[in-house]
Amino acid sequence: MNELSAPRPGVRQKRRCPAFPATVGAPSVLVVLVCLCLTVLSVLSLIAARNELTLAERTVSETAQYYRADAAASVLLAETLDNFRQTGAAIAPEGVTLTEPEQAENPKNGRTPAFLADYSVPCGENSALCCSVRVYLDGSYDILSWKKVFSAEQTFFDDSINVWNGE
């Protein structure tokens, strides 16, 4: 050793810094927390995307069922109108209920109603497309009601709350 590198007696030596200074710990913790937050947010985004996909698939299914029921209801209406126009009599296809209209004092628009046709077409598991049509003597018609109705007897809503009772 030379004289400069040798420790001198009575002179206080400077301590050498460790390889990893203390200031490196805080940024490392911050990076770990940021990575953890990003991971949690990405997992939540994936869960939300999966739920949106499930909802979209259910919506597509319900819409397809509605339009199938709408097409079937239109076919029933067309059959009823064709039977009336060809025979002049109200002949109901299967599933259609024909009733006599209430005799109004003043016929609407100068047209006299011939009959009312009421029918429903299943539209999914717990709903039906309910239709009501007023047919006039000249073969024209007015749609009074054409809407999707949920069946009260098949619909079950769970209103219970599962609360821990201590057992």
Side-chain angles (χ1 to χ4, degrees):
M1 285 175 92
N2 63 23
E3 292 179 14
L4 295 175
S5 63
R8 291 186 251 158
V11 176
R12 194 168 184 183
Q13 296 290 322
K14 287 186 179 180
R15 292 186 184 182
R16 290 189 175 174
C17 293
F20 297 104
T23 58
V24 175
S28 297
V29 169
L30 184 63
V31 168
V32 168
L33 287 176
V34 167
C35 289
L36 181 66
C37 289
L38 290 175
T39 303
V40 168
L41 288 175
S42 65
V43 168
L44 290 175
S45 295
L46 287 174
I47 291 171
R50 186 186 63 202
N51 290 340
E52 289 292 326
L53 176 65
T54 303
L55 179 62
E57 289 171 347
R58 287 182 185 170
T59 302
V60 165
S61 173
E62 287 289 324
T63 303
Q65 289 175 355
Y66 174 80
Y67 283 113
R68 278 194 294 275
D70 184 60
S74 296
V75 167
L76 283 175
L77 177 60
E79 287 177 12
T80 304
L81 292 173
D82 285 344
N83 287 340
F84 180 69
R85 289 175 183 151
Q86 289 174 359
T87 63
I91 301 171
E94 185 178 339
V96 178
T97 304
L98 301 178
T99 57
E100 291 292 323
E102 298 174 3
Q103 295 299 326
E105 294 178 12
N106 297 326
K108 185 177 180 183
N109 299 329
R111 299 182 296 175
T112 305
F115 61 90
L116 296 173
D118 293 316
Y119 55 96
S120 64
V121 177
C123 182
E125 187 176 323
N126 59 354
S127 61
L129 182 64
C130 294
C131 305
S132 180
V133 180
R134 180 185 298 130
V135 179
Y136 296 99
L137 290 176
D138 62 355
S140 62
Y141 63 94
D142 286 335
I143 296 176
L144 303 175
S145 172
W146 196 280
K147 62 184 174 181
K148 184 176 181 179
V149 177
F150 291 96
S151 173
E153 58 203 32
Q154 294 179 353
T155 304
F156 175 72
F157 297 103
D158 185 12
D159 293 335
S160 64
I161 299 174
N162 294 330
V163 179
W164 182 63
N165 58 7
E167 295 177 6

